[in-house]
Amino acid sequence: MESTAMAKIPQQSELLFDGAGERQRETFNAPPMLLVRGYLSQAQQQILWQEALMYPLQKPVVEVFGKPHPIPRTQVWFGDLGCDYLYSGMMVRALAWPKYCQRLRLMLQRDFQFQSNGVLVNRYADGRDCMGWHSDDEPELQPGSDIASVTIGAARDFDIRSRQTHEKIRLQLESGDLLLMRWPMQQQWQHALPKRLKLQEPRINFTFRQLIPYFHSQ
Ligand SMILES: O=C(O)CCC(=O)C(=O)O
Ligand SMILES: [Fe+2]
């Protein structure tokens, strides 16, 4: 972990930073996000976990300074027709939505009026798997759209840092939690999933996104 002090976020059942939290955001420069603890029931988590055992997860190899590096996790992209995703220079074609993943997409639409047409599923086999600092701000993402992140399996720290001030916030995302990252969080903040070398349990994360359809075939 870097030396910058982490801001303390209260661990309540629901943290609201948008709407009613407008004044709070001005005062603490909090990211525009909503954390819903236990959004999925145990039964929903289990059924999704079972379904994910069948997902065709892959470990893409990306080039860093001219050298091939397999990414430290496995992933798969599901989406509507025309919602292909350009990821680290690779065109990832959208596979058809699996049943329970599609149900989760509809739940998010029902509960938060959250629209999505694609989901990136990341599986972290254990605490050695991770994700470095980044923002989800690819050009094919619909301007003004939010990103919904749902976690099942092992609890992991999720770090957020301001692009401007480098102020850091650490959340712990637990099985069943939903983190709604509201526009323009990706423009102002980065996030990362740090390694946890002692952790042996797997974790799966779904990030639902809204793409501009046929962006890559225009
Ligand atoms: O696994 C997570 O919680 C983060 C995933 C993420 O940031 C991404 O898919 O862009
Ligand atoms: Fe991300």
PDB file of all heavy atoms in Angstrom, residues 9-26 28 30-37 111-112 171 178-180 182:
ATOM      1  N   ILE A   9     -14.242   5.834   5.645  1.00  0.00           N
ATOM      2  CA  ILE A   9     -15.623   5.772   5.168  1.00  0.00           C
ATOM      3  C   ILE A   9     -16.402   4.932   6.178  1.00  0.00           C
ATOM      4  O   ILE A   9     -15.972   3.836   6.505  1.00  0.00           O
ATOM      5  CB  ILE A   9     -15.674   5.086   3.776  1.00  0.00           C
ATOM      6  CG1 ILE A   9     -15.025   5.978   2.726  1.00  0.00           C
ATOM      7  CG2 ILE A   9     -17.081   4.722   3.388  1.00  0.00           C
ATOM      8  CD1 ILE A   9     -15.906   7.087   2.217  1.00  0.00           C
ATOM      9  N   PRO A  10     -17.503   5.452   6.703  1.00  0.00           N
ATOM     10  CA  PRO A  10     -18.251   4.661   7.684  1.00  0.00           C
ATOM     11  C   PRO A  10     -18.802   3.386   7.057  1.00  0.00           C
ATOM     12  O   PRO A  10     -19.247   3.393   5.918  1.00  0.00           O
ATOM     13  CB  PRO A  10     -19.393   5.598   8.105  1.00  0.00           C
ATOM     14  CG  PRO A  10     -19.449   6.663   7.076  1.00  0.00           C
ATOM     15  CD  PRO A  10     -18.131   6.740   6.410  1.00  0.00           C
ATOM     16  N   GLN A  11     -18.729   2.286   7.778  1.00  0.00           N
ATOM     17  CA  GLN A  11     -19.209   0.997   7.256  1.00  0.00           C
ATOM     18  C   GLN A  11     -20.680   0.821   7.609  1.00  0.00           C
ATOM     19  O   GLN A  11     -21.033   0.003   8.436  1.00  0.00           O
ATOM     20  CB  GLN A  11     -18.385  -0.152   7.843  1.00  0.00           C
ATOM     21  CG  GLN A  11     -16.919  -0.081   7.486  1.00  0.00           C
ATOM     22  CD  GLN A  11     -16.673  -0.394   6.023  1.00  0.00           C
ATOM     23  OE1 GLN A  11     -17.071  -1.431   5.538  1.00  0.00           O
ATOM     24  NE2 GLN A  11     -16.019   0.507   5.308  1.00  0.00           N
ATOM     25  N   GLN A  12     -21.536   1.599   7.018  1.00  0.00           N
ATOM     26  CA  GLN A  12     -22.956   1.431   7.279  1.00  0.00           C
ATOM     27  C   GLN A  12     -23.553   0.571   6.179  1.00  0.00           C
ATOM     28  O   GLN A  12     -22.883   0.222   5.231  1.00  0.00           O
ATOM     29  CB  GLN A  12     -23.680   2.762   7.368  1.00  0.00           C
ATOM     30  CG  GLN A  12     -22.893   3.919   6.850  1.00  0.00           C
ATOM     31  CD  GLN A  12     -23.551   5.239   7.096  1.00  0.00           C
ATOM     32  OE1 GLN A  12     -23.276   5.875   8.092  1.00  0.00           O
ATOM     33  NE2 GLN A  12     -24.393   5.634   6.193  1.00  0.00           N
ATOM     34  N   SER A  13     -24.833   0.231   6.358  1.00  0.00           N
ATOM     35  CA  SER A  13     -25.413  -0.684   5.396  1.00  0.00           C
ATOM     36  C   SER A  13     -25.537  -0.032   4.023  1.00  0.00           C
ATOM     37  O   SER A  13     -25.463  -0.678   3.009  1.00  0.00           O
ATOM     38  CB  SER A  13     -26.775  -1.142   5.879  1.00  0.00           C
ATOM     39  OG  SER A  13     -27.620  -0.034   5.943  1.00  0.00           O
ATOM     40  N   GLU A  14     -25.725   1.255   3.984  1.00  0.00           N
ATOM     41  CA  GLU A  14     -25.861   1.922   2.693  1.00  0.00           C
ATOM     42  C   GLU A  14     -25.209   3.295   2.765  1.00  0.00           C
ATOM     43  O   GLU A  14     -25.444   4.052   3.677  1.00  0.00           O
ATOM     44  CB  GLU A  14     -27.339   2.066   2.350  1.00  0.00           C
ATOM     45  CG  GLU A  14     -27.560   2.248   0.877  1.00  0.00           C
ATOM     46  CD  GLU A  14     -29.032   2.165   0.520  1.00  0.00           C
ATOM     47  OE1 GLU A  14     -29.538   1.051   0.417  1.00  0.00           O
ATOM     48  OE2 GLU A  14     -29.630   3.223   0.349  1.00  0.00           O
ATOM     49  N   LEU A  15     -24.341   3.592   1.818  1.00  0.00           N
ATOM     50  CA  LEU A  15     -23.686   4.893   1.800  1.00  0.00           C
ATOM     51  C   LEU A  15     -24.187   5.657   0.590  1.00  0.00           C
ATOM     52  O   LEU A  15     -24.026   5.212  -0.528  1.00  0.00           O
ATOM     53  CB  LEU A  15     -22.169   4.727   1.684  1.00  0.00           C
ATOM     54  CG  LEU A  15     -21.468   4.223   2.924  1.00  0.00           C
ATOM     55  CD1 LEU A  15     -20.074   3.765   2.568  1.00  0.00           C
ATOM     56  CD2 LEU A  15     -21.417   5.310   3.964  1.00  0.00           C
ATOM     57  N   LEU A  16     -24.757   6.802   0.832  1.00  0.00           N
ATOM     58  CA  LEU A  16     -25.348   7.554  -0.258  1.00  0.00           C
ATOM     59  C   LEU A  16     -24.529   8.814  -0.512  1.00  0.00           C
ATOM     60  O   LEU A  16     -24.403   9.656   0.356  1.00  0.00           O
ATOM     61  CB  LEU A  16     -26.772   7.921   0.160  1.00  0.00           C
ATOM     62  CG  LEU A  16     -27.762   8.265  -0.915  1.00  0.00           C
ATOM     63  CD1 LEU A  16     -27.872   7.141  -1.938  1.00  0.00           C
ATOM     64  CD2 LEU A  16     -29.106   8.514  -0.286  1.00  0.00           C
ATOM     65  N   PHE A  17     -23.943   8.920  -1.669  1.00  0.00           N
ATOM     66  CA  PHE A  17     -23.147  10.102  -1.968  1.00  0.00           C
ATOM     67  C   PHE A  17     -23.816  11.002  -3.002  1.00  0.00           C
ATOM     68  O   PHE A  17     -23.342  12.047  -3.316  1.00  0.00           O
ATOM     69  CB  PHE A  17     -21.778   9.709  -2.503  1.00  0.00           C
ATOM     70  CG  PHE A  17     -20.909   9.091  -1.478  1.00  0.00           C
ATOM     71  CD1 PHE A  17     -20.546   7.775  -1.586  1.00  0.00           C
ATOM     72  CD2 PHE A  17     -20.457   9.831  -0.398  1.00  0.00           C
ATOM     73  CE1 PHE A  17     -19.745   7.193  -0.638  1.00  0.00           C
ATOM     74  CE2 PHE A  17     -19.645   9.248   0.553  1.00  0.00           C
ATOM     75  CZ  PHE A  17     -19.297   7.923   0.436  1.00  0.00           C
ATOM     76  N   ASP A  18     -24.886  10.518  -3.590  1.00  0.00           N
ATOM     77  CA  ASP A  18     -25.501  11.327  -4.634  1.00  0.00           C
ATOM     78  C   ASP A  18     -26.832  11.868  -4.123  1.00  0.00           C
ATOM     79  O   ASP A  18     -27.296  11.512  -3.058  1.00  0.00           O
ATOM     80  CB  ASP A  18     -25.681  10.509  -5.911  1.00  0.00           C
ATOM     81  CG  ASP A  18     -26.461   9.249  -5.657  1.00  0.00           C
ATOM     82  OD1 ASP A  18     -26.699   8.934  -4.481  1.00  0.00           O
ATOM     83  OD2 ASP A  18     -26.829   8.588  -6.615  1.00  0.00           O
ATOM     84  N   GLY A  19     -27.445  12.750  -4.889  1.00  0.00           N
ATOM     85  CA  GLY A  19     -28.729  13.309  -4.480  1.00  0.00           C
ATOM     86  C   GLY A  19     -28.618  14.021  -3.145  1.00  0.00           C
ATOM     87  O   GLY A  19     -28.009  15.086  -3.050  1.00  0.00           O
ATOM     88  N   ALA A  20     -29.151  13.393  -2.122  1.00  0.00           N
ATOM     89  CA  ALA A  20     -29.163  14.003  -0.790  1.00  0.00           C
ATOM     90  C   ALA A  20     -27.745  14.272  -0.275  1.00  0.00           C
ATOM     91  O   ALA A  20     -27.554  15.091   0.615  1.00  0.00           O
ATOM     92  CB  ALA A  20     -29.889  13.087   0.180  1.00  0.00           C
ATOM     93  N   GLY A  21     -26.785  13.597  -0.836  1.00  0.00           N
ATOM     94  CA  GLY A  21     -25.409  13.736  -0.354  1.00  0.00           C
ATOM     95  C   GLY A  21     -24.638  14.858  -1.029  1.00  0.00           C
ATOM     96  O   GLY A  21     -23.431  14.947  -0.887  1.00  0.00           O
ATOM     97  N   GLU A  22     -25.324  15.699  -1.777  1.00  0.00           N
ATOM     98  CA  GLU A  22     -24.663  16.768  -2.540  1.00  0.00           C
ATOM     99  C   GLU A  22     -23.744  17.620  -1.667  1.00  0.00           C
ATOM    100  O   GLU A  22     -22.608  17.899  -2.036  1.00  0.00           O
ATOM    101  CB  GLU A  22     -25.729  17.637  -3.201  1.00  0.00           C
ATOM    102  CG  GLU A  22     -25.262  18.376  -4.437  1.00  0.00           C
ATOM    103  CD  GLU A  22     -24.723  17.468  -5.526  1.00  0.00           C
ATOM    104  OE1 GLU A  22     -25.417  16.529  -5.966  1.00  0.00           O
ATOM    105  OE2 GLU A  22     -23.570  17.695  -5.918  1.00  0.00           O
ATOM    106  N   ARG A  23     -24.249  18.009  -0.463  1.00  0.00           N
ATOM    107  CA  ARG A  23     -23.458  18.877   0.412  1.00  0.00           C
ATOM    108  C   ARG A  23     -22.229  18.133   0.927  1.00  0.00           C
ATOM    109  O   ARG A  23     -21.145  18.675   1.018  1.00  0.00           O
ATOM    110  CB  ARG A  23     -24.304  19.371   1.579  1.00  0.00           C
ATOM    111  CG  ARG A  23     -24.550  20.851   1.465  1.00  0.00           C
ATOM    112  CD  ARG A  23     -25.171  21.471   2.689  1.00  0.00           C
ATOM    113  NE  ARG A  23     -24.927  20.794   3.934  1.00  0.00           N
ATOM    114  CZ  ARG A  23     -25.901  20.417   4.766  1.00  0.00           C
ATOM    115  NH1 ARG A  23     -27.143  20.636   4.449  1.00  0.00           N
ATOM    116  NH2 ARG A  23     -25.615  19.817   5.901  1.00  0.00           N
ATOM    117  N   GLN A  24     -22.445  16.836   1.202  1.00  0.00           N
ATOM    118  CA  GLN A  24     -21.348  16.019   1.716  1.00  0.00           C
ATOM    119  C   GLN A  24     -20.235  15.917   0.659  1.00  0.00           C
ATOM    120  O   GLN A  24     -19.069  15.989   0.974  1.00  0.00           O
ATOM    121  CB  GLN A  24     -21.888  14.632   2.028  1.00  0.00           C
ATOM    122  CG  GLN A  24     -20.905  13.790   2.796  1.00  0.00           C
ATOM    123  CD  GLN A  24     -21.399  12.366   2.925  1.00  0.00           C
ATOM    124  OE1 GLN A  24     -22.205  11.913   2.126  1.00  0.00           O
ATOM    125  NE2 GLN A  24     -20.923  11.674   3.918  1.00  0.00           N
ATOM    126  N   ARG A  25     -20.653  15.790  -0.586  1.00  0.00           N
ATOM    127  CA  ARG A  25     -19.668  15.650  -1.661  1.00  0.00           C
ATOM    128  C   ARG A  25     -18.790  16.903  -1.755  1.00  0.00           C
ATOM    129  O   ARG A  25     -17.589  16.828  -1.910  1.00  0.00           O
ATOM    130  CB  ARG A  25     -20.376  15.393  -2.990  1.00  0.00           C
ATOM    131  CG  ARG A  25     -19.396  14.932  -4.035  1.00  0.00           C
ATOM    132  CD  ARG A  25     -19.987  14.840  -5.408  1.00  0.00           C
ATOM    133  NE  ARG A  25     -21.302  14.219  -5.420  1.00  0.00           N
ATOM    134  CZ  ARG A  25     -22.072  14.224  -6.493  1.00  0.00           C
ATOM    135  NH1 ARG A  25     -21.682  14.816  -7.589  1.00  0.00           N
ATOM    136  NH2 ARG A  25     -23.251  13.644  -6.478  1.00  0.00           N
ATOM    137  N   GLU A  26     -19.445  18.084  -1.608  1.00  0.00           N
ATOM    138  CA  GLU A  26     -18.677  19.327  -1.655  1.00  0.00           C
ATOM    139  C   GLU A  26     -17.664  19.375  -0.527  1.00  0.00           C
ATOM    140  O   GLU A  26     -16.519  19.733  -0.712  1.00  0.00           O
ATOM    141  CB  GLU A  26     -19.613  20.526  -1.495  1.00  0.00           C
ATOM    142  CG  GLU A  26     -20.260  20.959  -2.791  1.00  0.00           C
ATOM    143  CD  GLU A  26     -21.394  21.924  -2.541  1.00  0.00           C
ATOM    144  OE1 GLU A  26     -21.319  22.684  -1.562  1.00  0.00           O
ATOM    145  OE2 GLU A  26     -22.367  21.885  -3.313  1.00  0.00           O
ATOM    146  N   PHE A  28     -16.386  16.813   1.473  1.00  0.00           N
ATOM    147  CA  PHE A  28     -15.346  15.785   1.566  1.00  0.00           C
ATOM    148  C   PHE A  28     -14.785  15.361   0.218  1.00  0.00           C
ATOM    149  O   PHE A  28     -13.969  14.465   0.161  1.00  0.00           O
ATOM    150  CB  PHE A  28     -15.903  14.542   2.273  1.00  0.00           C
ATOM    151  CG  PHE A  28     -16.344  14.811   3.673  1.00  0.00           C
ATOM    152  CD1 PHE A  28     -17.685  14.798   4.004  1.00  0.00           C
ATOM    153  CD2 PHE A  28     -15.410  15.094   4.645  1.00  0.00           C
ATOM    154  CE1 PHE A  28     -18.090  15.051   5.309  1.00  0.00           C
ATOM    155  CE2 PHE A  28     -15.811  15.345   5.944  1.00  0.00           C
ATOM    156  CZ  PHE A  28     -17.158  15.328   6.275  1.00  0.00           C
ATOM    157  N   ALA A  30     -16.166  13.554  -1.911  1.00  0.00           N
ATOM    158  CA  ALA A  30     -16.443  12.115  -2.023  1.00  0.00           C
ATOM    159  C   ALA A  30     -16.789  11.760  -3.459  1.00  0.00           C
ATOM    160  O   ALA A  30     -17.403  12.541  -4.170  1.00  0.00           O
ATOM    161  CB  ALA A  30     -17.594  11.753  -1.097  1.00  0.00           C
ATOM    162  N   PRO A  31     -16.370  10.582  -3.906  1.00  0.00           N
ATOM    163  CA  PRO A  31     -16.728  10.158  -5.261  1.00  0.00           C
ATOM    164  C   PRO A  31     -18.239   9.971  -5.400  1.00  0.00           C
ATOM    165  O   PRO A  31     -18.896   9.598  -4.414  1.00  0.00           O
ATOM    166  CB  PRO A  31     -16.019   8.807  -5.417  1.00  0.00           C
ATOM    167  CG  PRO A  31     -15.224   8.585  -4.196  1.00  0.00           C
ATOM    168  CD  PRO A  31     -15.625   9.565  -3.163  1.00  0.00           C
ATOM    169  N   PRO A  32     -18.790  10.229  -6.588  1.00  0.00           N
ATOM    170  CA  PRO A  32     -20.231  10.043  -6.774  1.00  0.00           C
ATOM    171  C   PRO A  32     -20.566   8.565  -6.887  1.00  0.00           C
ATOM    172  O   PRO A  32     -20.610   8.002  -7.976  1.00  0.00           O
ATOM    173  CB  PRO A  32     -20.519  10.788  -8.089  1.00  0.00           C
ATOM    174  CG  PRO A  32     -19.221  10.780  -8.823  1.00  0.00           C
ATOM    175  CD  PRO A  32     -18.131  10.727  -7.798  1.00  0.00           C
ATOM    176  N   MET A  33     -20.762   7.913  -5.751  1.00  0.00           N
ATOM    177  CA  MET A  33     -21.036   6.474  -5.793  1.00  0.00           C
ATOM    178  C   MET A  33     -22.028   6.080  -4.707  1.00  0.00           C
ATOM    179  O   MET A  33     -22.257   6.800  -3.744  1.00  0.00           O
ATOM    180  CB  MET A  33     -19.745   5.684  -5.636  1.00  0.00           C
ATOM    181  CG  MET A  33     -19.062   5.923  -4.328  1.00  0.00           C
ATOM    182  SD  MET A  33     -17.489   5.078  -4.244  1.00  0.00           S
ATOM    183  CE  MET A  33     -17.110   5.392  -2.526  1.00  0.00           C
ATOM    184  N   LEU A  34     -22.585   4.908  -4.917  1.00  0.00           N
ATOM    185  CA  LEU A  34     -23.569   4.375  -3.981  1.00  0.00           C
ATOM    186  C   LEU A  34     -23.169   2.937  -3.674  1.00  0.00           C
ATOM    187  O   LEU A  34     -22.998   2.129  -4.589  1.00  0.00           O
ATOM    188  CB  LEU A  34     -24.942   4.398  -4.669  1.00  0.00           C
ATOM    189  CG  LEU A  34     -26.101   3.693  -3.973  1.00  0.00           C
ATOM    190  CD1 LEU A  34     -26.470   4.427  -2.698  1.00  0.00           C
ATOM    191  CD2 LEU A  34     -27.312   3.650  -4.907  1.00  0.00           C
ATOM    192  N   LEU A  35     -22.964   2.653  -2.381  1.00  0.00           N
ATOM    193  CA  LEU A  35     -22.596   1.285  -1.985  1.00  0.00           C
ATOM    194  C   LEU A  35     -23.789   0.646  -1.301  1.00  0.00           C
ATOM    195  O   LEU A  35     -24.268   1.158  -0.290  1.00  0.00           O
ATOM    196  CB  LEU A  35     -21.386   1.333  -1.045  1.00  0.00           C
ATOM    197  CG  LEU A  35     -20.942   0.020  -0.411  1.00  0.00           C
ATOM    198  CD1 LEU A  35     -20.576  -1.016  -1.468  1.00  0.00           C
ATOM    199  CD2 LEU A  35     -19.752   0.261   0.511  1.00  0.00           C
ATOM    200  N   VAL A  36     -24.270  -0.434  -1.857  1.00  0.00           N
ATOM    201  CA  VAL A  36     -25.412  -1.139  -1.261  1.00  0.00           C
ATOM    202  C   VAL A  36     -24.900  -2.481  -0.748  1.00  0.00           C
ATOM    203  O   VAL A  36     -24.574  -3.386  -1.532  1.00  0.00           O
ATOM    204  CB  VAL A  36     -26.536  -1.358  -2.300  1.00  0.00           C
ATOM    205  CG1 VAL A  36     -27.745  -2.039  -1.649  1.00  0.00           C
ATOM    206  CG2 VAL A  36     -26.950  -0.039  -2.922  1.00  0.00           C
ATOM    207  N   ARG A  37     -24.800  -2.584   0.558  1.00  0.00           N
ATOM    208  CA  ARG A  37     -24.324  -3.834   1.175  1.00  0.00           C
ATOM    209  C   ARG A  37     -25.393  -4.912   1.052  1.00  0.00           C
ATOM    210  O   ARG A  37     -26.590  -4.623   1.231  1.00  0.00           O
ATOM    211  CB  ARG A  37     -24.036  -3.607   2.657  1.00  0.00           C
ATOM    212  CG  ARG A  37     -22.894  -2.652   2.927  1.00  0.00           C
ATOM    213  CD  ARG A  37     -21.607  -3.424   3.044  1.00  0.00           C
ATOM    214  NE  ARG A  37     -20.482  -2.549   3.314  1.00  0.00           N
ATOM    215  CZ  ARG A  37     -19.304  -2.683   2.744  1.00  0.00           C
ATOM    216  NH1 ARG A  37     -19.090  -3.625   1.830  1.00  0.00           N
ATOM    217  NH2 ARG A  37     -18.313  -1.885   3.070  1.00  0.00           N
ATOM    218  N   ASP A 111     -34.395  -1.721  -9.945  1.00  0.00           N
ATOM    219  CA  ASP A 111     -34.145  -1.087  -8.643  1.00  0.00           C
ATOM    220  C   ASP A 111     -33.501   0.291  -8.734  1.00  0.00           C
ATOM    221  O   ASP A 111     -33.669   1.117  -7.846  1.00  0.00           O
ATOM    222  CB  ASP A 111     -33.245  -1.987  -7.788  1.00  0.00           C
ATOM    223  CG  ASP A 111     -33.909  -3.330  -7.492  1.00  0.00           C
ATOM    224  OD1 ASP A 111     -35.153  -3.403  -7.596  1.00  0.00           O
ATOM    225  OD2 ASP A 111     -33.191  -4.294  -7.165  1.00  0.00           O
ATOM    226  N   PHE A 112     -32.701   0.519  -9.776  1.00  0.00           N
ATOM    227  CA  PHE A 112     -31.948   1.782  -9.840  1.00  0.00           C
ATOM    228  C   PHE A 112     -32.119   2.507 -11.177  1.00  0.00           C
ATOM    229  O   PHE A 112     -31.395   3.454 -11.447  1.00  0.00           O
ATOM    230  CB  PHE A 112     -30.450   1.507  -9.603  1.00  0.00           C
ATOM    231  CG  PHE A 112     -30.185   0.884  -8.266  1.00  0.00           C
ATOM    232  CD1 PHE A 112     -30.078  -0.495  -8.139  1.00  0.00           C
ATOM    233  CD2 PHE A 112     -30.072   1.674  -7.136  1.00  0.00           C
ATOM    234  CE1 PHE A 112     -29.855  -1.078  -6.900  1.00  0.00           C
ATOM    235  CE2 PHE A 112     -29.857   1.100  -5.901  1.00  0.00           C
ATOM    236  CZ  PHE A 112     -29.746  -0.279  -5.778  1.00  0.00           C
ATOM    237  N   LEU A 171     -12.534   0.796   0.340  1.00  0.00           N
ATOM    238  CA  LEU A 171     -13.778   0.126   0.709  1.00  0.00           C
ATOM    239  C   LEU A 171     -13.467  -1.345   0.799  1.00  0.00           C
ATOM    240  O   LEU A 171     -12.553  -1.823   0.126  1.00  0.00           O
ATOM    241  CB  LEU A 171     -14.844   0.287  -0.381  1.00  0.00           C
ATOM    242  CG  LEU A 171     -15.279   1.670  -0.821  1.00  0.00           C
ATOM    243  CD1 LEU A 171     -16.263   1.537  -1.975  1.00  0.00           C
ATOM    244  CD2 LEU A 171     -15.931   2.394   0.343  1.00  0.00           C
ATOM    245  N   LEU A 178     -23.204  -4.325  -3.901  1.00  0.00           N
ATOM    246  CA  LEU A 178     -23.299  -3.586  -5.166  1.00  0.00           C
ATOM    247  C   LEU A 178     -22.636  -2.229  -4.975  1.00  0.00           C
ATOM    248  O   LEU A 178     -22.906  -1.535  -3.993  1.00  0.00           O
ATOM    249  CB  LEU A 178     -24.782  -3.371  -5.524  1.00  0.00           C
ATOM    250  CG  LEU A 178     -25.095  -2.248  -6.526  1.00  0.00           C
ATOM    251  CD1 LEU A 178     -24.583  -2.594  -7.924  1.00  0.00           C
ATOM    252  CD2 LEU A 178     -26.602  -1.972  -6.574  1.00  0.00           C
ATOM    253  N   LEU A 179     -21.761  -1.858  -5.888  1.00  0.00           N
ATOM    254  CA  LEU A 179     -21.182  -0.509  -5.887  1.00  0.00           C
ATOM    255  C   LEU A 179     -21.585   0.150  -7.197  1.00  0.00           C
ATOM    256  O   LEU A 179     -21.174  -0.294  -8.271  1.00  0.00           O
ATOM    257  CB  LEU A 179     -19.649  -0.568  -5.768  1.00  0.00           C
ATOM    258  CG  LEU A 179     -18.957   0.800  -5.768  1.00  0.00           C
ATOM    259  CD1 LEU A 179     -19.309   1.599  -4.516  1.00  0.00           C
ATOM    260  CD2 LEU A 179     -17.440   0.646  -5.885  1.00  0.00           C
ATOM    261  N   LEU A 180     -22.404   1.196  -7.079  1.00  0.00           N
ATOM    262  CA  LEU A 180     -22.822   1.940  -8.276  1.00  0.00           C
ATOM    263  C   LEU A 180     -21.881   3.134  -8.425  1.00  0.00           C
ATOM    264  O   LEU A 180     -21.854   4.009  -7.554  1.00  0.00           O
ATOM    265  CB  LEU A 180     -24.251   2.439  -8.074  1.00  0.00           C
ATOM    266  CG  LEU A 180     -25.339   1.855  -8.943  1.00  0.00           C
ATOM    267  CD1 LEU A 180     -26.699   2.318  -8.464  1.00  0.00           C
ATOM    268  CD2 LEU A 180     -25.151   2.234 -10.397  1.00  0.00           C
ATOM    269  N   ARG A 182     -21.255   6.309 -10.181  1.00  0.00           N
ATOM    270  CA  ARG A 182     -22.034   7.263 -10.966  1.00  0.00           C
ATOM    271  C   ARG A 182     -21.128   8.139 -11.826  1.00  0.00           C
ATOM    272  O   ARG A 182     -20.025   8.487 -11.413  1.00  0.00           O
ATOM    273  CB  ARG A 182     -22.825   8.179 -10.020  1.00  0.00           C
ATOM    274  CG  ARG A 182     -23.757   7.459  -9.069  1.00  0.00           C
ATOM    275  CD  ARG A 182     -25.068   7.225  -9.727  1.00  0.00           C
ATOM    276  NE  ARG A 182     -26.111   6.945  -8.745  1.00  0.00           N
ATOM    277  CZ  ARG A 182     -27.222   6.298  -9.050  1.00  0.00           C
ATOM    278  NH1 ARG A 182     -27.430   5.870 -10.265  1.00  0.00           N
ATOM    279  NH2 ARG A 182     -28.136   6.077  -8.128  1.00  0.00           N
TER     280      ARG A 182
END
